[in-house]
Amino acid sequence: MSDKYPIANEWFSRSGWQPYDFQIKTWDAILSGYSGLLNAPTGYGKTYAIWFGVVQQYFNKKKQPAGLHCLWITPLRALSKEIHMATERVSDELGIDYTIGLRTGDTSNKERTAQKKKMPNGLITTPESVHLLLAQKGYADTFKHIEFIVVDEWHELMGTKRGVQIELAISRLRAINPKLKVWGISATIGNLEEAKEVLLGSAPQKQTMIRAKLDKKIIIETLLPDVIEKYPWAGHLGITLIDKILPVIHQSNSTLIFTNTRSQCEIWYQRLLQYDPDLAGIIALHHGSLSEEVRQWVEEALHEGKLKAVVSTSSLDLGVDFRPVDTVVQIGSPKGVARFMQRAGRSGHQPGATSKIYFLPTHSLEIIEGSAIRYAIKEHLIEQRIPYIRSFDVLIQYLVTLAVSDGFHADIIYNEIVQTHCYESVTRDEFDWCLAFITQGGQLLDNYDEFHKVVIEDGIYKVTSRRIAMRHRLNMGTIVSESMMQVKYLGGARLGAIEEWFISRLKPGDAFWFAGKHVELISVKEMSAFVRKSTTNKGLFPSWQGGKMPLSSQLSKTIRHRLNEYQSGAKLDAEMDKLAPLFEEQKRRSHLPHEDELLIETAKTRDGYHVFFYPFEGRNVHEGLSALFAYRIAQIKPMSFSIAFNDYGFELLSDQEIPLEEALANGLLNNDNLTEDMLACVNITEMAKRKFRDIAHIAGLVFSGYPGKPVKARHMQASSQLFFSVFSDNEKNNLLLQQAYDEVLTFQMEQVRTLQSMERIQHQKVVIQHLEKLSPFCFPILAERFREKLSNEKLEDRLQKLIKQLEK
Amino acid sequence: MRIQLQNCEFILLPEKALYRPDESLLVIADVHLGKARHFRSEGIAIPASAQNGDYEKLRTLFDKFHPFKVYFLGDLFHSRLNNDWQLFESLINQYPHITFTLVKGNHDIINKTLFQQLHIQVVNHIEDKCFIYSHEPLKENASGKVNIAGHIHPGIHLSGKANQSLRLPCFYSTGTTFILPAFGSLTGLFMMDRNNDTEVYVVLPDNIKKI
């Protein structure tokens, strides 16, 4: 090893380790003044690859400045804690004078005040906490000597508005200290180069990409049912496979069981205990709505190897390394290749170890995903993360944040933000619109106006009202949740939080499962629900709203490919063999589509007239296509549709016969006027209205208050939907409104992907099947509970129909 | 739509108001004037013009029915006094021949002398031969009279075949209580139940439908 990095040398020789090539490369790059992105898997020392560079650089200075030198940002508090321990160990064991602090939502007020007086050299924190620091008076002084920002798990943050917060913070801190170096750490994603560009922005700087190139071996085994269910209702099969999962748990040291929703997490935990009471006390559950105390307990018990299994959601996806875990189970569709690999990587963390992951499908058609994902991993088909651009809500929040602390000059901040990836295309006019929004509440003024938020004094934008400053600080952040109720025992112990709407449907005495406990509701006081242990054995499982993750395009493409291979008679794998009877049944009742065919099924049932389409493109694209198709069909005659979709296809249901042939002849699948039609279909407005919920919160129009704290100012409350319709009626050019539509097109409907699939569908042969009996493919779609509506019938006609049905 | 309450004729208006021809009385509940400006004064950028429609709608009704009397059934203003008062003042001064009465609601915190200067009476409720007009529906009503009230912002959720459903504002009648929909455009809906004892009159853009 070279003597350029004596601190690392000492650490490694003490431990008797050899550094990896990528670690040495990273140290070199940091010491030569580069910014960059490090692509390395968890468990191979990526933290130290960055850390020793940072610390060495600090001690290479002639004089070590006091105060903040490095800001280390992670997406999770739990991960922050781990990084804090790992870096503090270096300072302690080597006896070097580099102090490290932790600042997250959990940090006590006392500690915050102490930090304010004397900042540590390294601060491990989250994106939200960084913005809270920017909201403090005199923040520029705090960051005066900052030299490094390290962003951990950047692949996780990039596709979120928290990523945008990081971009903004970097733009500000770079202005304070132009020598700032920025490093990101990312797992493998399909657009690493773009990930680097987004993080670093367009400010001139030396930059590099370092890839660890340590391929991890992943073995996937699908837990298959003995006999395949030919009529796969969604969510039905999962639990019946419980006898397959129990041996896996017993054979392993410690197992992580991942589910896709918090509700599933609760259900599986309960069922496991029910089927194998011996597991009591050695299994636990973990999800984002459990109280911090409960989660911490579970994490510690996992570390110490006290738990045989933990049922979890994405709350345990990231970073933190649980050594005792040697097995991972994924319940339900893995949704994407990168996510699946990340979860698989939670086992076999040791360098060179193989990761073993079991996949448990929740309906029989899902079995195909086990086969598809194995193929995708082999072929390195890994998803991209799409960064947010032009997020005016986050920009508005940021501007008020700066106005709350020391105030800002518009020109200076404008020049900074256009160097970020998110805002590079924002014009000065648009920026001025944001300024008008926070200073005069929009561009239109009348004589009677009393708007008050940010004021301009001597060219400096600032907040002078303490009440407004306080409210802003309380509502900062980009994660918007449903209105939550704290669930507590009478004694005061907190179990966690459940969405208000779920509690509001319960009466005192009703039992439900939460945090793995069976409890009954006693009373509701303000935003707390008090419970006690229930003596009955029945009860509801809570559910949480929130977007369902769509199948990625990589995975859906692979599924189409696998179906095709099956048809060509190739011998594939255990999954496809298992599925053969289902596919044969699909052939008998309908048709099994080839890669170059689009299957459409029609049926008439008690519920009305159904048409099913199977593009196999993932639910987001199906959501868009279904709205588009419904809109186009309704151009023939006024109709009302109910729309359901899953990752494989979608359904249009109507009380009238659907003129499918006529619609096809009129160009239902045509690419002409595609974008216009997409914008015209009513559902875009509905979708935008939903997106606007988050936007209104982030931009400070709607307050959620702090979790657990009741909203005091009821008279200040209005729903985001109200704002949406008011802006739609009065202020068409409102940038937040436009942002809602842009987000729908980019993220929800995945416009690019939708255009690509329409392109593909154009060249497909359409196969229409009129079903006498429902087919295996259409069952899971019929079972989807969440449905969209689209109608262009007159309100009065719709009401008339509804009334007629009520009278029957 | 014309209906009978206590043998008196009332007209339910799609503007979300109630008209009683024999007394030339117009009844309006929950206008929430000044709400947009109240939000704005607290730094929430809702367009001030958002509520202009409510003033226009009031004028339209006054011009169409030429009522002798107008009862506002509470929550006429959303919160404390702000510049909306001047718009309200000019509206009221435009109709000197109408007698206005405000039945005080929980949001009505503006000093009543201001109303009195505009010759608007402020009362807790109004009782006549057959009816009691109040803001909140009366908890107990043994008078044998029908209680006409606001406060609730009633709406109804209808669902039918092929998963079709609608949420609409309504007039809602149960037992001796008759509840008006909220008049103001910046108000939400509270979903009501329907059973054998209820009568629901749904408000559509141009008319009223009983269901």
Side-chain angles (χ1 to χ4, degrees):
Chain A
M1 256 165 91
S2 148
D3 54 5
K4 276 189 292 180
Y5 7 83
I7 301 176
N9 284 346
E10 190 184 341
W11 177 263
F12 275 82
S13 61
R14 268 174 174 236
S15 324
W17 294 338
Q18 272 301 315
Y20 287 103
D21 278 352
F22 81 88
Q23 289 177 315
I24 295 172
K25 267 193 207 153
T26 313
W27 299 333
D28 280 338
I30 292 176
L31 292 175
S32 325
Y34 279 86
S35 290
L37 189 73
L38 168 62
N39 166 228
T42 307
Y44 288 83
K46 61 191 169 102
T47 305
Y48 288 151
I50 303 277
W51 190 249
F52 283 113
V54 167
V55 175
Q56 192 64 58
Q57 177 69 15
Y58 181 74
F59 285 104
N60 283 358
K61 288 177 191 303
K62 283 200 191 83
K63 184 170 175 288
Q64 282 73 42
L68 203 52
H69 173 249
C70 173
L71 206 52
W72 187 293
I73 304 173
T74 84
L76 277 182
R77 285 181 230 179
L79 190 57
S80 300
K81 264 185 284 179
E82 179 162 289
I83 302 287
H84 184 223
M85 284 191 305
T87 50
E88 205 162 46
R89 202 158 57 226
V90 173
S91 287
D92 287 351
E93 290 188 17
L94 298 183
I96 56 177
D97 186 17
Y98 194 94
T99 54
I100 297 139
L102 185 64
R103 191 187 185 98
T104 67
D106 295 336
T107 309
S108 68
N109 277 335
K110 197 178 142 200
E111 210 173 319
R112 279 162 204 258
T113 322
Q115 281 176 358
K116 201 177 175 187
K117 267 189 209 140
K118 188 171 184 290
M119 267 286 173
N121 301 122
L123 187 68
I124 322 292
T125 186
T126 59
E128 289 75 17
S129 292
V130 176
H131 276 250
L132 280 167
L133 284 171
L134 292 177
Q136 281 189 354
K137 297 239 179 286
Y139 73 86
D141 214 38
T142 309
F143 292 112
K144 194 168 49 186
H145 296 301
I146 188 157
E147 194 178 1
F148 289 99
I149 295 184
V150 182
V151 184
D152 216 341
E153 310 270 356
W154 173 237
H155 61 284
E156 265 314 310
L157 289 163
M158 180 169 75
T160 70
K161 288 185 182 172
R162 303 176 81 201
V164 177
Q165 283 185 303
I166 291 176
E167 292 178 52
L168 283 171
I170 290 173
S171 78
R172 190 78 274 273
L173 297 186
R174 183 174 277 142
I176 293 173
N177 194 336
K179 286 190 205 137
L180 183 78
K181 267 88 74 183
V182 178
W183 277 87
I185 306 175
S186 171
T188 301
I189 50 175
N191 53 337
L192 271 178
E193 198 55 48
E194 188 184 24
K196 188 189 82 188
E197 283 161 20
V198 173
L199 180 67
L200 300 190
S202 63
Q205 59 198 307
K206 295 206 280 185
Q207 45 181 286
T208 180
M209 165 98 71
I210 295 171
R211 309 187 67 156
K213 297 207 177 88
L214 298 161
D215 267 342
K216 203 166 209 181
K217 205 165 146 48
I218 297 175
I219 296 177
I220 302 165
E221 185 177 335
T222 303
L223 296 169
L224 294 167
D226 296 331
V227 181
I228 189 157
E229 177 69 60
K230 284 184 218 158
Y231 317 108
W233 290 89
H236 171 73
L237 182 86
I239 296 289
T240 62
L241 285 174
I242 203 155
D243 55 338
K244 305 277 177 197
I245 207 174
L246 287 170
V248 172
I249 294 174
H250 287 296
Q251 283 156 25
S252 308
N253 184 20
S254 188
T255 305
L256 277 185
I257 301 166
F258 284 107
T259 62
N260 286 337
T261 67
R262 282 169 275 189
S263 191
Q264 272 187 333
C265 178
E266 293 272 352
I267 294 171
W268 271 91
Y269 173 80
Q270 214 42 59
R271 294 289 182 262
L272 282 170
L273 275 182
Q274 200 180 329
Y275 278 78
D276 190 352
D278 291 345
L279 289 174
I282 50 171
I283 66 169
L285 79 173
H286 190 287
H287 60 71
S289 290
L290 298 179
S291 71
E292 187 64 29
E293 300 92 79
V294 175
R295 276 184 286 161
Q296 267 180 22
W297 179 86
V298 175
E299 285 161 26
E300 269 156 37
L302 250 184
H303 268 300
E304 291 160 15
K306 285 183 193 157
L307 292 173
K308 199 74 188 149
V310 175
V311 189
S312 145
T313 61
S314 51
S315 60
L316 284 184
D317 264 7
L318 293 184
V320 190
D321 201 355
F322 299 108
R323 295 274 161 195
V325 172
D326 60 347
T327 306
V328 174
V329 179
Q330 163 70 35
I331 292 176
S333 168
K335 301 294 183 185
V337 184
R339 187 166 122 110
F340 190 74
M341 286 171 70
Q342 177 135 23
R343 290 186 164 182
R346 311 307 284 126
S347 76
H349 249 153
Q350 299 75 9
T354 300
S355 294
K356 171 103 191 214
I357 181 163
Y358 294 88
F359 166 52
L360 187 149
T362 53
H363 63 77
S364 29
L365 203 47
E366 222 170 53
I367 293 174
I368 197 173
E369 292 185 30
S371 169
I373 206 141
R374 189 178 297 119
Y375 177 83
I377 290 176
K378 202 178 104 215
E379 302 292 320
H380 289 285
L381 302 169
I382 298 167
E383 295 85 6
Q384 307 193 342
R385 293 286 164 115
I386 314 291
Y388 273 86
I389 56 166
R390 301 167 61 76
S391 302
F392 290 105
D393 52 349
V394 184
L395 180 58
I396 284 167
Q397 186 184 88
Y398 171 67
L399 292 177
V400 179
T401 298
L402 295 182
V404 160
S405 54
D406 293 343
F408 66 90
H409 284 283
D411 293 348
I412 295 176
I413 297 301
Y414 178 69
N415 289 332
E416 287 171 19
I417 64 141
V418 290
Q419 297 201 1
T420 65
H421 178 268
C422 182
Y423 301 107
E424 65 186 1
S425 70
V426 169
T427 63
R428 184 61 201 238
D429 278 352
E430 287 166 333
F431 186 72
D432 287 342
W433 184 91
C434 296
L435 292 176
F437 188 81
I438 60 173
T439 53
Q440 53 189 46
Q443 285 173 315
L444 287 174
L445 282 181
D446 68 23
N447 299 330
Y448 298 116
D449 204 48
E450 296 159 79
F451 185 83
H452 180 81
K453 189 162 191 172
V454 174
V455 295
I456 313 168
E457 286 176 5
D458 302 329
I460 296 177
Y461 288 72
K462 56 167 99 163
V463 168
T464 51
S465 152
R466 284 184 63 177
R467 197 171 64 222
I468 285 171
M470 168 83 94
R471 195 157 64 212
H472 180 74
R473 284 201 183 96
L474 284 178
N475 284 285
M476 281 169 65
T478 57
I479 302 174
V480 179
S481 60
E482 286 288 318
S483 178
M484 289 292 211
M485 272 199 166
Q486 296 296 319
V487 181
K488 296 176 184 168
Y489 283 129
L490 273 180
R494 280 177 47 203
L495 286 176
I498 300 187
E499 286 168 17
E500 194 179 359
W501 65 268
F502 177 80
I503 299 282
S504 71
R505 292 190 319 184
L506 300 176
K507 293 189 296 292
D510 283 355
F512 61 98
W513 298 93
F514 181 56
K517 307 227 166 18
H518 192 213
V519 294
E520 112 185 22
L521 184 70
I522 303 171
S523 63
V524 174
K525 266 198 203 104
E526 283 173 340
M527 293 306 277
S528 296
F530 290 95
V531 298
R532 65 170 162 238
K533 288 226 165 69
S534 170
T535 45
T536 62
N537 51 18
K538 277 200 186 122
L540 297 166
F541 284 98
S543 50
W544 285 262
Q545 312 266 337
K548 282 190 180 170
M549 201 171 298
L551 207 61
S552 75
S553 56
Q554 270 70 8
L555 197 49
S556 30
K557 194 168 149 195
T558 315
I559 289 175
R560 296 195 300 267
H561 183 67
R562 274 318 226 199
L563 264 181
N564 212 43
E565 285 183 321
Y566 170 84
Q567 305 243 53
S568 68
K571 175 93 182 117
L572 297 170
D573 47 30
E575 286 90 346
M576 297 310 270
D577 285 351
K578 201 67 181 182
L579 279 165
L582 184 145
F583 290 155
E584 294 312 311
E585 188 69 17
Q586 174 69 23
K587 272 190 201 163
R588 202 159 29 244
R589 294 191 172 206
S590 170
H591 175 76
L592 190 63
H594 288 261
E595 226 168 355
D596 60 352
E597 289 174 335
L598 173 70
L599 172 64
I600 304 176
E601 296 175 340
T602 68
K604 181 176 183 303
T605 70
R606 242 177 19 170
D607 298 326
Y609 297 87
H610 310 253
V611 179
F612 299 93
F613 297 82
Y614 301 99
F616 284 89
E617 282 283 2
R619 56 184 299 130
N620 280 2
V621 172
H622 293 160
E623 184 173 11
L625 286 183
S626 59
L628 174 74
F629 284 13
Y631 170 78
R632 286 182 168 179
I633 293 172
Q635 299 311 300
I636 297 172
K637 62 172 180 176
M639 291 190 81
S640 297
F641 293 103
S642 164
I643 301 170
F645 37 83
N646 67 7
D647 282 323
Y648 308 123
F650 58 88
E651 173 205 3
L652 305 182
L653 166 65
S654 177
D655 55 341
Q656 312 174 49
E657 198 158 353
I658 298 171
L660 177 66
E661 267 87 3
E662 198 182 338
L664 285 169
N666 285 357
L668 177 65
L669 308 178
N670 248 334
N671 247 349
D672 309 336
N673 301 325
L674 193 58
T675 310
E676 290 88 334
D677 282 358
M678 273 168 75
L679 282 170
C681 64
V682 182
N683 270 43
I684 292 277
T685 307
E686 282 305 309
M687 291 183 210
K689 205 184 258 182
R690 259 178 253 145
K691 286 277 173 214
F692 195 71
R693 199 179 146 264
D694 285 14
I695 293 172
H697 270 88
I698 295 169
L701 291 169
V702 181
F703 314 114
S704 46
Y706 252 176
K709 282 189 194 150
V711 182
K712 277 201 191 114
R714 275 276 170 209
H715 62 108
M716 293 306 305
Q717 286 295 319
S719 68
S720 58
Q721 301 205 348
L722 184 70
F723 282 104
F724 186 86
S725 30
V726 167
F727 287 145
S728 302
D729 293 345
N730 294 275
E731 232 183 77
K732 276 263 177 255
N733 66 341
N734 187 302
L735 288 178
L736 296 171
L737 201 60
Q738 289 176 16
Q739 185 190 339
Y741 284 94
D742 288 346
E743 283 184 16
V744 168
L745 288 175
T746 319
F747 290 95
Q748 188 140 3
M749 313 224 330
E750 301 188 42
Q751 192 176 26
V752 178
R753 247 179 100 183
T754 304
L755 295 176
Q756 284 165 355
S757 19
M758 281 300 279
E759 186 64 34
R760 187 173 62 81
I761 288 170
Q762 299 264 302
H763 302 294
Q764 283 183 318
K765 203 175 104 204
V766 173
V767 180
I768 301 177
Q769 292 288 320
H770 303 287
L771 304 183
E772 275 170 39
K773 288 180 176 166
L774 294 174
S775 76
F777 275 19
C778 77
F779 267 106
I781 303 179
L782 271 176
E784 279 290 323
R785 285 210 319 249
F786 181 77
R787 283 175 169 264
E788 288 284 349
K789 287 190 270 286
L790 184 138
S791 178
N792 63 345
E793 290 181 284
K794 275 204 254 134
L795 191 60
E796 204 166 332
D797 295 344
R798 289 174 69 196
L799 185 69
Q800 216 44 276
K801 268 192 201 169
L802 289 174
I803 294 170
K804 236 186 246 159
Q805 288 168 27
L806 291 171
E807 282 162 355
K808 257 185 232 164
Chain B
M1 168 184 263
R2 286 163 195 271
I3 61 162
Q4 299 280 323
L5 290 171
Q6 306 277 75
N7 290 322
C8 280
E9 189 184 59
F10 282 88
I11 305 175
L12 310 185
L13 304 170
E15 288 85 0
K16 299 185 219 164
L18 187 65
Y19 184 64
R20 181 172 170 187
D22 65 340
E23 292 211 342
S24 186
L25 164 67
L26 189 64
V27 188
I28 292 164
D30 301 287
V31 192
H32 290 266
L33 295 175
K35 186 168 181 177
R37 270 172 230 282
H38 180 62
F39 274 43
R40 291 179 66 79
S41 68
E42 293 287 332
I44 301 168
I46 194 164
S49 58
Q51 257 180 318
N52 293 353
D54 290 343
Y55 289 99
E56 278 164 36
K57 220 166 72 166
L58 287 169
R59 286 197 168 86
T60 312
L61 282 176
F62 297 163
D63 293 343
K64 190 165 156 195
F65 291 96
H66 302 289
F68 295 159
K69 291 190 291 185
V70 172
Y71 295 168
F72 292 112
L73 293 190
D75 293 357
L76 177 57
F77 276 83
H78 180 69
S79 186
R80 54 179 189 269
L81 191 66
N82 61 28
N83 285 336
D84 254 46
W85 187 261
Q86 294 160 50
L87 300 176
F88 179 67
E89 212 168 20
S90 67
L91 168 79
I92 297 298
N93 289 336
Q94 207 182 323
Y95 298 92
H97 52 280
I98 302 180
T99 311
F100 292 97
T101 310
L102 168 61
V103 176
K104 219 175 137 165
N106 51 316
H107 278 266
D108 293 304
I109 55 171
I110 294 175
N111 196 323
K112 77 175 177 189
T113 53
L114 283 172
F115 287 100
Q116 286 159 348
Q117 280 162 19
L118 294 179
H119 307 288
I120 299 174
Q121 271 203 70
V122 183
V123 299
N124 287 324
H125 63 266
I126 301 168
E127 189 162 351
D128 62 18
K129 214 170 76 192
C130 306
F131 301 99
I132 301 171
Y133 298 90
S134 62
H135 173 58
E136 294 185 26
L138 300 175
K139 290 205 175 72
E140 282 170 39
N141 176 13
S143 62
K145 298 177 182 181
V146 167
N147 173 213
I148 296 177
H151 184 64
I152 308 280
H153 303 197
I156 199 84
H157 182 246
L158 296 169
S159 53
K161 226 178 173 177
N163 195 35
Q164 293 305 308
S165 70
L166 290 170
R167 278 162 183 268
L168 295 165
C170 65
F171 294 87
Y172 185 88
S173 163
T174 173
T176 57
T177 311
F178 186 88
I179 303 167
L180 268 69
F183 183 88
S185 52
L186 296 185
T187 55
L189 289 180
F190 179 82
M191 291 304 142
M192 309 296 281
D193 290 332
R194 232 153 38 90
N195 57 44
N196 291 336
D197 303 327
T198 56
E199 283 177 357
V200 175
Y201 305 89
V202 177
V203 179
L204 295 173
D206 302 313
N207 60 359
I208 306 286
K209 275 261 179 319
K210 185 178 176 191
I211 54 167

